[in-house]
Amino acid sequence: MNNYIDTFDFGKIYKNSMKPLVHYITNYVTSNDVANMTLAFGGSPIMAEAIEEIEEITSMSNCLVINIGTVTSIKVQSIKKAIQVANDNNIPVILDPVGVAATSYRKEIVFDILDNYKIDVIKGNASEIKALLGLKTNSKGVDSEEIDVEDIGVIGQKVAKTYNTIAAITGKIDTVCSDRYVAKINGGSKMLTSITGTGCMISPLIAVSLAKSRDAFLSSLYGISAMDQAADIVENNLKDQESVGTFKVKLFDSIYNMKNKNLIDGKKVIVNEI
């Protein structure tokens, strides 16, 4: 199979000096890290969920990111209003359906969103993406189950076709699916799984890229590649006795040093047309 990676213009991202405003309605566990990751990658974050200001905040933003990690019934109202405003103003939307496989309440919220609004990118682990097809999962809370990499591609592409979106799936081998392409991204440190919220921190990387390029597939590849490369660099340069705490701090440094650079390696990112 041919690698189509060279057919994509990633310069629309790394050559663009825009500092996009990204609106987050996210979980309180990783909110600070998400904001700092946005800044490190060249964006400007705003965390706002009061329904009284949603229309103003979302309409002035360049991208909207929704994360249901600590969802409440009140927050759901703000989420729906924000997505509607984004859709009305042609502002791209990223949905992170954290733990959607864990409870019926989360499934109800996410399916309602997907059935009634336009979502440009759905970013999640394999279990979360699998749950969007109504398939049974073996996940524990927000943690993912092990799924064969080829099966992930099939599942991801079905989600992409069903919801007219891009499925960005994190795991041992990250996978990005459109209705036409399935991409595999090799790399990434195992230490990413030892820190809360590294999956959430990928959303800002995709969001900043998407605001610049307006290409959801391209931006998902670029954002995930950034996290994988940054994590590899940090792990490979840790000193004796340095572990997850140092790893997390240096991850921000590594991402900061990557902004406005071409991060796509044709040997690590393989794009196949299906």
Side-chain angles (χ1 to χ4, degrees):
M1 302 177 75
N2 294 324
N3 186 1
Y4 285 82
I5 192 65
D6 292 334
T7 65
F8 297 98
D9 180 15
F10 292 95
K12 291 190 291 185
I13 300 172
Y14 67 84
K15 293 179 181 179
N16 191 327
S17 61
M18 172 189 185
K19 186 175 182 178
L21 179 65
V22 183
H23 178 199
Y24 295 94
I25 302 179
T26 188
N27 71 74
Y28 56 72
V29 177
T30 62
S31 181
N32 185 66
D33 291 332
V34 165
N36 284 325
M37 191 60 73
T38 307
L39 289 167
F41 207 52
S44 178
I46 184 166
M47 274 60 180
E49 58 187 59
I51 198 165
E52 293 83 1
E53 63 178 2
I54 286 294
E55 186 167 359
E56 292 175 88
I57 296 293
T58 305
S59 62
M60 72 173 70
S61 301
N62 303 113
C63 189
L64 171 67
V65 177
I66 302 297
N67 179 305
I68 69 161
T70 53
V71 73
T72 65
S73 56
I74 293 175
K75 187 181 287 189
V76 169
Q77 297 176 41
S78 296
I79 286 172
K80 291 180 180 180
K81 185 168 183 178
I83 298 175
Q84 185 63 65
V85 171
N87 286 175
D88 290 344
N89 289 276
N90 194 31
I91 296 165
V93 181
I94 298 170
L95 173 65
D96 192 341
V98 177
V100 66
T103 69
S104 57
Y105 180 58
R106 291 177 189 241
K107 289 188 182 78
E108 179 184 339
I109 293 167
V110 171
F111 283 130
D112 183 55
I113 290 171
L114 294 176
D115 288 342
N116 291 286
Y117 304 97
K118 167 60 180 171
I119 303 298
D120 295 271
V121 178
I122 304 173
K123 186 212 70 68
N125 63 40
S127 292
E128 290 161 350
I129 299 300
K130 183 179 176 182
L132 300 183
L133 297 176
L135 301 174
K136 184 178 179 181
T137 68
N138 296 310
S139 61
K140 295 180 180 180
V142 299
D143 295 328
S144 183
E145 62 188 294
E146 293 292 332
I147 300 177
D148 182 79
V149 66
E150 296 304 322
D151 291 339
I152 291 173
V154 172
I155 292 168
Q157 191 161 54
K158 189 168 183 179
V159 166
K161 291 179 178 179
T162 300
Y163 297 111
N164 187 28
T165 190
I166 298 301
I169 311 165
T170 56
K172 286 185 177 180
I173 297 179
D174 300 313
T175 306
V176 178
C177 303
S178 70
D179 60 353
R180 181 179 177 183
Y181 297 106
V182 173
K184 305 292 183 184
I185 306 169
N186 295 288
S189 167
K190 290 182 179 179
M191 292 186 74
L192 287 169
T193 62
S194 299
I195 300 171
T196 297
T198 50
C200 298
M201 285 186 266
I202 291 175
S203 289
L205 308 181
I206 298 174
V208 170
S209 303
L210 181 54
K212 291 181 176 183
S213 72
R214 307 289 294 193
D215 186 318
F217 184 77
L218 196 77
S219 300
S220 297
L221 283 178
Y222 193 82
I224 293 175
S225 294
M227 179 60 81
D228 284 352
Q229 290 184 40
D232 281 341
I233 290 170
V234 174
E235 183 181 12
N236 292 334
N237 287 279
L238 287 176
K239 300 176 182 178
D240 289 344
Q241 305 304 311
E242 290 183 338
S243 188
V244 292
T246 304
F247 177 84
K248 180 180 178 181
V249 172
K250 290 188 175 181
L251 191 61
F252 290 95
D253 293 340
S254 189
I255 287 292
Y256 179 83
N257 291 326
M258 284 184 169
K259 63 182 179 181
N260 302 325
K261 294 181 180 179
N262 185 2
L263 305 177
I264 299 301
D265 183 343
K267 295 181 180 179
K268 290 187 176 181
V269 182
I270 307 298
V271 180
N272 292 318
E273 186 174 29
I274 304 301

